[in-house]
């Protein structure tokens, strides 16, 4: 149940990210994402170093030389930008949904009611982050691999990152945060001044993607640098 006293957000340290994509594949496993969904809920872009990571990169800058098709990482002179649903405070996907299937909850999560989704894909068009996926085929997942805490989405609906709401509201980290080998991902309650994300944002300069479109995204990026686990 959503608690309005909470405001969940994520911080991604692109100075630390090594582009390993463990977050992407752990998300797939945790959230019952079928093999037919492409791209997955999380995409990781390899970026040329001439794109500034300390300011507010424009969409044109981000597209310049960026690729998700790299085979080795990290590479000298490159940095890595993970992108997913930003759980915006002013989400355009919510505004355009004709049935209320896409909705914003009081604790910051933007979620889907799959029973109400009619597959019109207006939300797909409205999202400036290309963060939504449409189920063109009936998902097939081996029974022993299904996470019972997450619904398997039916054919004909839109799906996306949920910030692992089934974990976050139980005091656990999203799976992508949990598996990151370099501690590049952080998650917590932005309303709690003692939370990790609040402290990180207080101590570091941060940017958000496409701030000029006024979506008020709840993923912020910093460039603190590598801090590998020992």
């Amino acid at each position: 149940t959503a608690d309005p006293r909470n405001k969940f957000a994520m911080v991604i340290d692109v100075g630390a990210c090594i582009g390993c994509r463990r977050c992407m594949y752990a998300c797939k496993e945790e959230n019952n994402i079928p093999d037919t969904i492409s791209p997955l809920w999380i995409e990781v872009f390899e970026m040329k170093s001439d794109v500034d990571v300390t300011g507010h990169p424009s969409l044109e800058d981000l597209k310049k030389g960026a690729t998700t098709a790299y085979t080795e990482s990290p590479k000298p002179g490159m940095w890595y930008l993970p992108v997913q649903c930003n759980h915006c405070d002013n989400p355009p996907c919510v505004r355009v949904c004709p049935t209320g299937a896409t909705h914003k909850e009081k604790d910051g999560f933007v979620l889907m009611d799959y029973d109400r989704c009619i597959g019109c894909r207006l939300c797909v068009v409205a999202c400036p982050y290309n963060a939504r996926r449409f189920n063109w085929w009936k998902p097939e997942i081996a029974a022993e691999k299904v996470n019972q805490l997450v619904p398997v989405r039916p054919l004909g609906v839109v799906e996306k990152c949920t910030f692992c709401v089934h974990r976050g509201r139980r005091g656990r980290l999203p799976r992508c945060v949990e598996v990151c080998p370099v501690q590049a991902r952080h998650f917590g309650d932005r309303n709690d001044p003692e939370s990790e994300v609040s402290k990180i944002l207080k101590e570091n300069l941060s940017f958000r993607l496409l701030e000029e479109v006024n979506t008020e995204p709840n993923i912020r990026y910093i460039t603190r640098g590598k801090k590998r686990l020992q």
Side-chain angles (χ1 to χ4, degrees):
T1 304
D3 186 336
R5 293 173 298 180
N6 299 329
K7 196 57 167 286
F8 290 104
M10 185 175 288
V11 175
I12 300 176
D13 185 349
V14 294
C17 180
I18 57 174
C20 66
R21 301 190 183 103
R22 290 189 196 182
C23 55
M24 190 169 79
Y25 295 116
C27 170
K28 180 181 188 297
E29 181 181 70
E30 177 72 21
N31 290 289
N32 300 328
I33 301 174
D35 293 336
T36 51
I37 291 290
S38 180
L40 299 178
W41 287 2
I42 298 174
E43 291 185 274
V44 183
F45 290 86
E46 183 179 76
M47 314 288 291
K48 291 184 177 180
S49 58
D50 59 354
V51 176
D52 186 12
V53 300
T54 57
H56 295 82
S58 68
L59 183 60
E60 291 72 25
D61 287 337
L62 293 174
K63 286 180 177 178
K64 190 191 309 175
T67 181
T68 60
Y70 60 90
T71 56
E72 298 178 9
S73 71
K75 292 179 187 173
M78 298 292 186
W79 60 284
Y80 298 88
L81 179 72
V83 178
Q84 62 204 76
C85 174
N86 280 255
H87 294 267
C88 305
D89 282 341
N90 183 29
C93 56
V94 172
R95 292 199 304 272
V96 301
C97 181
T99 65
T102 301
H103 57 283
K104 177 83 176 175
E105 303 222 341
K106 294 177 181 179
D107 53 358
F109 293 98
V110 175
L111 300 178
M112 287 289 301
D113 182 339
Y114 301 109
D115 291 332
R116 301 182 71 174
C117 179
I118 59 174
C120 68
R121 287 164 282 158
L122 288 174
C123 60
V124 176
V125 177
C127 176
Y129 304 103
N130 191 35
R132 290 175 161 265
R133 312 288 178 252
F134 186 71
N135 244 322
W136 291 98
W137 295 275
K138 181 180 179 181
E140 295 182 3
I141 303 172
E144 66 273 13
K145 293 185 177 181
V146 172
N147 181 355
Q148 298 298 328
L149 296 175
V150 181
V152 177
R153 280 76 56 191
L155 168 72
V157 301
V158 175
E159 57 180 70
K160 67 173 193 67
C161 157
T162 66
F163 267 179
C164 285
V165 61
H166 59 286
R167 295 167 68 96
R169 286 182 179 163
R170 291 176 168 87
R172 300 179 65 191
L173 294 173
R175 187 75 182 280
C176 62
V177 176
E178 196 173 73
V179 302
C180 181
V182 292
Q183 295 180 314
R185 287 174 168 263
H186 308 272
F187 181 82
D189 182 3
R190 204 177 69 196
N191 282 349
D192 178 4
E194 297 302 312
S195 72
E196 185 185 29
V197 293
S198 292
K199 290 179 178 179
I200 289 173
L201 292 173
K202 185 177 180 180
E203 296 168 0
N204 296 271
L205 292 173
S206 66
F207 69 89
R208 297 183 292 182
L209 296 180
L210 306 181
E211 290 204 65
E212 64 273 17
V213 300
N214 298 317
T215 59
E216 296 296 321
N218 276 305
I219 293 182
R220 291 178 179 266
Y221 295 87
I222 63 170
T223 56
R224 186 169 57 179
K226 293 177 175 56
K227 183 182 178 183
R228 288 183 174 81
L229 296 175
Q230 302 298 321

